[in-house]
Amino acid sequence: MPTMNKLTSASLRGFEPGKYNDGGGLWFHKREQGRDGGAQWFLRVTIHGKRREMGLGRFPDVSLKEAREYAELQRTLVRSGIDPIKQRERDRRDAASRLHVLRDIALDAFESRKAELRDDGSAGRWFSPLELYVLPRLGKTPVSEIDQRDIRDTLAPIWHTKADTAKKALNRLSICIRHAAALGLDVDLQATEKAKALLGKQRHKVKNIPSMPWQDVPTFYKSLDDSICQLALRLLILTAVRSKPIRFLRLDQIDGNIWTIPEELVKGRKDATSEFRVPLSTEAMRVVEAATKFERDGFLFPSVRKGVISDATMSRFMERKGLDTRPHGFRSSFRTWCAETTETPYEIAETCLGHVVGTGVERSYKRTDFIEKRAVLMERWAEHLNKGLGDLVRLTG
């Protein structure tokens, strides 16, 4: 058996430049003074018939005792038929992958997609499903270790009770895992689909926002007064737009009878013109005029303290009236009125709601928002609200 432990700690510093054998393949290499004058440990082993040499660290950072212990670990691997150099490389790769925890990957994926999101994702809708329901449990987990069982256990509590949110969280998580794969990390790209299979079919049924029958809307409309909240509700009904553009309406957005909703207030028009023009009927212009007396900081519908009225203000008003319907439901009332009492082409009626109609190719050739025909339709809708059911409206495409 070869002699082991030939060197002593006291002798190491006094060695001249050269290589000194401690036994068992462990060597101490003292370099020339002309270079950096340092010293290093290395181990020589033979694995699979090949001689291999691996560094074990600098001296004195690695002491003689530590070098011997480290060398013995590597010799143990060799006796098991494992190349210690390749094993160390694998260990480093594994350690590097473990540093990529899900939270970091999610933030990086979000950052890379900001350009696709409205206002660069500042509203938080893209990231919030992850932030609220995934990252608290899996955020510190290396993304390469996440499997379908982890995902199932994370989303199971909301899979049936908050079905839509759970689907969004699963979708965002899938994007994060694909992002990790693009970064070169070893992940299971099928983990989310497997988790979906484990979670099963959702019991939750999507409920539409309650809407008022179009026949009843005139009575409700004519019951409204000229207070801030009720004027806002009037304009919402008259224009069939969402509540946010109404709440943030400014006079400088209106030119004649055309209200141009700015990009940051428009929802659901991806791949279409960012701004959205709304034709204002004579009645809508009267409501705008009535609201100007409340204008503050440029907004027609300010709150009592600061900013604009909240999203819940109009909803609470309807609740106090004992109604089950909600403001957003008036969009459905308008759309049903279009379908049942007019012959408005589909694309015009949908454009009134701000919906994108047709494929990107179709829109690139048919560059119109039907503003003139929509103006006629919105004038008849206003007449219906003030007088009740009018004559059949016939609009051609």
Short mmCIF file of all heavy atoms in Angstrom, two decimals, residues 147-153 155 159-160 163 166-168 170-171 173-174 190-202:
data_model
loop_
_atom_site.label_atom_id
_atom_site.label_comp_id
_atom_site.label_asym_id
_atom_site.label_seq_id
_atom_site.Cartn_x
_atom_site.Cartn_y
_atom_site.Cartn_z
N ASP A 147 -43.26 19.92 -9.79
CA ASP A 147 -43.93 18.90 -10.59
C ASP A 147 -45.44 19.08 -10.48
O ASP A 147 -45.94 19.99 -9.82
CB ASP A 147 -43.51 17.48 -10.18
CG ASP A 147 -43.86 17.16 -8.73
OD1 ASP A 147 -44.75 17.82 -8.15
OD2 ASP A 147 -43.25 16.22 -8.17
N GLN A 148 -46.18 18.19 -11.13
CA GLN A 148 -47.63 18.31 -11.19
C GLN A 148 -48.30 18.21 -9.81
O GLN A 148 -49.34 18.83 -9.58
CB GLN A 148 -48.23 17.27 -12.14
CG GLN A 148 -48.03 15.81 -11.72
CD GLN A 148 -46.74 15.24 -12.29
OE1 GLN A 148 -45.80 15.97 -12.58
NE2 GLN A 148 -46.72 13.92 -12.48
N ARG A 149 -47.69 17.45 -8.91
CA ARG A 149 -48.27 17.32 -7.57
C ARG A 149 -48.16 18.63 -6.79
O ARG A 149 -49.09 19.01 -6.07
CB ARG A 149 -47.60 16.18 -6.83
CG ARG A 149 -47.94 14.79 -7.39
CD ARG A 149 -47.16 13.69 -6.70
NE ARG A 149 -45.73 13.79 -7.02
CZ ARG A 149 -45.19 13.26 -8.12
NH1 ARG A 149 -45.95 12.60 -8.98
NH2 ARG A 149 -43.89 13.37 -8.35
N ASP A 150 -47.03 19.31 -6.96
CA ASP A 150 -46.86 20.61 -6.32
C ASP A 150 -47.92 21.60 -6.82
O ASP A 150 -48.53 22.34 -6.03
CB ASP A 150 -45.47 21.20 -6.61
CG ASP A 150 -44.36 20.34 -6.05
OD1 ASP A 150 -44.51 19.84 -4.92
OD2 ASP A 150 -43.34 20.16 -6.73
N ILE A 151 -48.13 21.60 -8.12
CA ILE A 151 -49.08 22.52 -8.73
C ILE A 151 -50.50 22.17 -8.30
O ILE A 151 -51.31 23.05 -7.96
CB ILE A 151 -48.95 22.50 -10.26
CG1 ILE A 151 -47.53 22.92 -10.66
CG2 ILE A 151 -49.98 23.42 -10.90
CD1 ILE A 151 -47.21 22.73 -12.13
N ARG A 152 -50.82 20.88 -8.31
CA ARG A 152 -52.16 20.46 -7.87
C ARG A 152 -52.43 20.90 -6.44
O ARG A 152 -53.49 21.46 -6.14
CB ARG A 152 -52.28 18.93 -7.97
CG ARG A 152 -53.61 18.40 -7.42
CD ARG A 152 -53.51 16.93 -7.11
NE ARG A 152 -52.49 16.64 -6.10
CZ ARG A 152 -52.09 15.42 -5.76
NH1 ARG A 152 -52.61 14.37 -6.38
NH2 ARG A 152 -51.17 15.26 -4.84
N ASP A 153 -51.49 20.64 -5.54
CA ASP A 153 -51.70 20.98 -4.13
C ASP A 153 -51.81 22.49 -3.93
O ASP A 153 -52.49 22.94 -3.01
CB ASP A 153 -50.54 20.43 -3.29
CG ASP A 153 -50.49 18.91 -3.30
OD1 ASP A 153 -51.51 18.29 -3.69
OD2 ASP A 153 -49.44 18.35 -2.95
N LEU A 155 -53.07 24.75 -6.23
CA LEU A 155 -54.29 25.31 -6.81
C LEU A 155 -55.57 24.62 -6.37
O LEU A 155 -56.67 25.14 -6.61
CB LEU A 155 -54.19 25.29 -8.34
CG LEU A 155 -53.09 26.17 -8.96
CD1 LEU A 155 -53.13 26.06 -10.47
CD2 LEU A 155 -53.28 27.63 -8.54
N TRP A 159 -59.53 25.72 -7.02
CA TRP A 159 -59.83 25.17 -8.34
C TRP A 159 -61.32 25.21 -8.65
O TRP A 159 -61.72 25.47 -9.79
CB TRP A 159 -59.30 23.75 -8.44
CG TRP A 159 -59.41 23.15 -9.82
CD1 TRP A 159 -60.19 22.12 -10.22
CD2 TRP A 159 -58.70 23.58 -10.99
NE1 TRP A 159 -60.02 21.86 -11.55
CE2 TRP A 159 -59.10 22.75 -12.06
CE3 TRP A 159 -57.77 24.58 -11.24
CZ2 TRP A 159 -58.61 22.89 -13.34
CZ3 TRP A 159 -57.27 24.73 -12.52
CH2 TRP A 159 -57.69 23.89 -13.56
N HIS A 160 -62.16 24.98 -7.66
CA HIS A 160 -63.61 24.98 -7.88
C HIS A 160 -64.27 26.27 -7.40
O HIS A 160 -65.27 26.69 -7.96
CB HIS A 160 -64.25 23.78 -7.16
CG HIS A 160 -63.76 22.46 -7.68
ND1 HIS A 160 -64.03 21.99 -8.94
CD2 HIS A 160 -62.99 21.51 -7.08
CE1 HIS A 160 -63.46 20.81 -9.11
NE2 HIS A 160 -62.82 20.50 -8.00
N ALA A 163 -62.74 29.47 -9.98
CA ALA A 163 -62.34 28.73 -11.17
C ALA A 163 -61.59 29.58 -12.18
O ALA A 163 -60.54 29.18 -12.71
CB ALA A 163 -63.56 28.09 -11.83
N ALA A 166 -58.17 30.47 -10.91
CA ALA A 166 -57.30 29.29 -10.90
C ALA A 166 -56.78 28.97 -12.30
O ALA A 166 -55.62 28.61 -12.48
CB ALA A 166 -58.06 28.09 -10.33
N LYS A 167 -57.65 29.13 -13.30
CA LYS A 167 -57.23 28.89 -14.68
C LYS A 167 -56.15 29.89 -15.09
O LYS A 167 -55.17 29.53 -15.75
CB LYS A 167 -58.43 29.01 -15.63
CG LYS A 167 -59.35 27.79 -15.63
CD LYS A 167 -60.46 27.99 -16.65
CE LYS A 167 -61.38 26.77 -16.70
NZ LYS A 167 -62.48 26.98 -17.68
N LYS A 168 -56.34 31.14 -14.70
CA LYS A 168 -55.33 32.15 -15.03
C LYS A 168 -54.01 31.85 -14.34
O LYS A 168 -52.94 31.99 -14.94
CB LYS A 168 -55.84 33.53 -14.62
CG LYS A 168 -56.98 34.06 -15.48
CD LYS A 168 -57.43 35.42 -15.01
CE LYS A 168 -58.58 35.93 -15.89
NZ LYS A 168 -59.08 37.25 -15.41
N LEU A 170 -52.89 28.93 -13.46
CA LEU A 170 -52.29 27.78 -14.14
C LEU A 170 -51.66 28.20 -15.46
O LEU A 170 -50.57 27.75 -15.82
CB LEU A 170 -53.35 26.71 -14.37
CG LEU A 170 -52.85 25.34 -14.84
CD1 LEU A 170 -52.00 24.69 -13.75
CD2 LEU A 170 -54.03 24.43 -15.20
N ASN A 171 -52.34 29.07 -16.18
CA ASN A 171 -51.82 29.58 -17.45
C ASN A 171 -50.52 30.35 -17.24
O ASN A 171 -49.53 30.16 -17.96
CB ASN A 171 -52.87 30.47 -18.12
CG ASN A 171 -52.31 31.24 -19.31
OD1 ASN A 171 -51.91 32.39 -19.16
ND2 ASN A 171 -52.29 30.62 -20.47
N LEU A 173 -48.45 30.11 -14.76
CA LEU A 173 -47.42 29.18 -14.31
C LEU A 173 -46.84 28.41 -15.50
O LEU A 173 -45.63 28.17 -15.56
CB LEU A 173 -48.01 28.22 -13.28
CG LEU A 173 -47.04 27.27 -12.61
CD1 LEU A 173 -45.86 28.01 -12.00
CD2 LEU A 173 -47.75 26.46 -11.54
N SER A 174 -47.69 28.05 -16.44
CA SER A 174 -47.22 27.36 -17.64
C SER A 174 -46.25 28.25 -18.43
O SER A 174 -45.22 27.79 -18.93
CB SER A 174 -48.40 26.97 -18.52
OG SER A 174 -47.97 26.37 -19.72
N GLN A 190 -44.63 19.64 -19.27
CA GLN A 190 -45.98 19.09 -19.21
C GLN A 190 -46.57 19.15 -17.79
O GLN A 190 -47.68 18.66 -17.56
CB GLN A 190 -45.98 17.64 -19.69
CG GLN A 190 -45.48 17.45 -21.11
CD GLN A 190 -46.35 18.20 -22.11
OE1 GLN A 190 -47.57 18.18 -22.01
NE2 GLN A 190 -45.71 18.86 -23.06
N ALA A 191 -45.84 19.76 -16.87
CA ALA A 191 -46.28 19.74 -15.47
C ALA A 191 -47.66 20.35 -15.27
O ALA A 191 -48.48 19.83 -14.52
CB ALA A 191 -45.25 20.46 -14.60
N THR A 192 -47.93 21.48 -15.94
CA THR A 192 -49.23 22.13 -15.73
C THR A 192 -50.37 21.31 -16.33
O THR A 192 -51.46 21.24 -15.75
CB THR A 192 -49.23 23.54 -16.33
OG1 THR A 192 -48.80 23.50 -17.69
CG2 THR A 192 -48.31 24.46 -15.54
N GLU A 193 -50.13 20.68 -17.48
CA GLU A 193 -51.18 19.84 -18.08
C GLU A 193 -51.44 18.61 -17.21
O GLU A 193 -52.58 18.18 -17.04
CB GLU A 193 -50.77 19.42 -19.49
CG GLU A 193 -50.88 20.52 -20.52
CD GLU A 193 -52.30 21.07 -20.63
OE1 GLU A 193 -53.24 20.24 -20.73
OE2 GLU A 193 -52.46 22.29 -20.59
N LYS A 194 -50.38 18.05 -16.66
CA LYS A 194 -50.54 16.91 -15.75
C LYS A 194 -51.30 17.33 -14.50
O LYS A 194 -52.17 16.60 -13.99
CB LYS A 194 -49.18 16.34 -15.36
CG LYS A 194 -48.40 15.74 -16.51
CD LYS A 194 -47.00 15.34 -16.04
CE LYS A 194 -46.13 14.85 -17.18
NZ LYS A 194 -44.74 14.57 -16.73
N ALA A 195 -50.99 18.53 -13.99
CA ALA A 195 -51.68 19.04 -12.80
C ALA A 195 -53.16 19.26 -13.09
O ALA A 195 -54.02 18.97 -12.26
CB ALA A 195 -51.05 20.35 -12.35
N LYS A 196 -53.46 19.74 -14.29
CA LYS A 196 -54.86 19.95 -14.68
C LYS A 196 -55.62 18.64 -14.70
O LYS A 196 -56.79 18.57 -14.29
CB LYS A 196 -54.90 20.61 -16.06
CG LYS A 196 -56.28 21.08 -16.49
CD LYS A 196 -56.20 21.85 -17.80
CE LYS A 196 -57.57 22.35 -18.24
NZ LYS A 196 -57.48 23.08 -19.53
N ALA A 197 -54.95 17.58 -15.17
CA ALA A 197 -55.58 16.26 -15.17
C ALA A 197 -55.83 15.77 -13.75
O ALA A 197 -56.86 15.16 -13.46
CB ALA A 197 -54.69 15.27 -15.93
N LEU A 198 -54.89 16.07 -12.85
CA LEU A 198 -55.06 15.67 -11.44
C LEU A 198 -56.15 16.46 -10.76
O LEU A 198 -56.87 15.94 -9.90
CB LEU A 198 -53.73 15.85 -10.69
CG LEU A 198 -52.57 14.94 -11.10
CD1 LEU A 198 -51.31 15.33 -10.34
CD2 LEU A 198 -52.91 13.48 -10.83
N LEU A 199 -56.29 17.73 -11.12
CA LEU A 199 -57.30 18.59 -10.49
C LEU A 199 -58.71 18.24 -10.93
O LEU A 199 -59.66 18.44 -10.18
CB LEU A 199 -57.00 20.06 -10.81
CG LEU A 199 -55.78 20.66 -10.08
CD1 LEU A 199 -55.32 21.92 -10.79
CD2 LEU A 199 -56.12 20.94 -8.63
N GLY A 200 -58.85 17.74 -12.15
CA GLY A 200 -60.16 17.33 -12.63
C GLY A 200 -60.97 18.48 -13.19
O GLY A 200 -60.56 19.64 -13.20
N LYS A 201 -62.16 18.16 -13.64
CA LYS A 201 -63.06 19.14 -14.22
C LYS A 201 -63.60 20.07 -13.14
O LYS A 201 -63.98 19.62 -12.06
CB LYS A 201 -64.22 18.44 -14.93
CG LYS A 201 -65.14 19.39 -15.70
CD LYS A 201 -66.21 18.62 -16.44
CE LYS A 201 -67.12 19.58 -17.21
NZ LYS A 201 -68.18 18.84 -17.96
N GLN A 202 -63.64 21.34 -13.44
CA GLN A 202 -64.12 22.31 -12.46
C GLN A 202 -65.63 22.26 -12.32
O GLN A 202 -66.36 22.17 -13.30
CB GLN A 202 -63.67 23.73 -12.86
CG GLN A 202 -62.16 23.94 -12.76
CD GLN A 202 -61.74 25.31 -13.23
OE1 GLN A 202 -62.23 25.79 -14.25
NE2 GLN A 202 -60.85 25.94 -12.49
#
